[in-house]
Amino acid sequence: MDDQNQPQAAPVFKYCRESRVFKTSRVFPNDVNNHKTLFGGKLMSTIDEVASISAMRHCRTNVVTASADSVDFLLPIRPSDSVCFESFVSWTGRTSIEVFVKIISENLYTGERAVAATSFLTFVAVHEDGTPAPVPAIIAETDEEKLISASADQRSELRKIRRTSSKLLASQLSTTKYWE
């Protein structure tokens, strides 16, 4: 029997580095808002894009975005800047994957770099039929990975509380058209 054609068992764990994604882009005039800084929605879209790649690299199956836990805009990003997105898996549950995204701006004239934003997103791994799929645990190696992973259990608990509150709120909201 040929072992090459046999399905491989899913790994029990993976390293954060195996899910790391980098994307660098420029800020063009059509990317800015009326304050001449990068439009927040554009930044959030790219955050979700790179985070989803990290999540899929980790589990090697489809993922769905469960929540954008936080996007913290720390510094304005201007047309004179490039924007580097760096993401990696920072925590996993049974089927959930937390991804950390660090956004670094670089002034292309001076070379000055700064962390302009940070974000945490949660994805759920899913089989082709849409049912949740188990994911490997993660192992943090670098000081930065360990720093981010150290508070992951606390963020997971906060997500559960926020989700319960969101469901309660949604159950009390109207779905009727305002003109009816």
Side-chain angles (χ1 to χ4, degrees), residues 69-112:
D69 303 336
S70 66
V71 179
D72 294 309
F73 301 95
L74 306 172
L75 296 171
I77 300 171
R78 304 194 186 286
S80 57
D81 296 333
S82 69
V83 187
C84 180
F85 297 82
E86 179 182 344
S87 64
F88 62 88
V89 171
S90 53
W91 174 90
T92 59
R94 192 178 66 74
T95 62
S96 299
I97 303 166
E98 178 191 78
V99 178
F100 172 68
V101 185
K102 174 175 61 174
I103 299 91
I104 299 172
S105 63
E106 177 183 345
N107 183 302
L108 292 170
Y109 296 108
T110 67
E112 183 180 350

Side-chain angles (χ1 to χ4, degrees), residues 21 33 47 59 63 67 76 80 83 101 112-113 117 124 131 134 137 140 152 161:
V21 171
N33 58 28
I47 287 170
C59 64
V63 298
S67 67
S80 57
V83 187
V101 185
E112 183 180 350
R113 293 170 56 89
V124 175
T131 59
I161 292 167

Side-chain angles (χ1 to χ4, degrees), residues 31 33 37-48 71 73:
D31 298 328
N33 58 28
T37 60
L38 182 64
F39 179 58
K42 175 121 176 118
L43 185 80
M44 291 167 64
S45 175
T46 307
I47 287 170
D48 191 39
V71 179
F73 301 95

Side-chain angles (χ1 to χ4, degrees), residues 143-159:
D143 289 343
E144 188 169 82
E145 291 168 354
K146 290 175 184 176
L147 174 71
I148 299 302
S149 295
S151 53
D153 287 334
Q154 180 183 7
R155 285 189 302 276
S156 175
E157 288 304 313
L158 291 172
R159 273 192 293 277

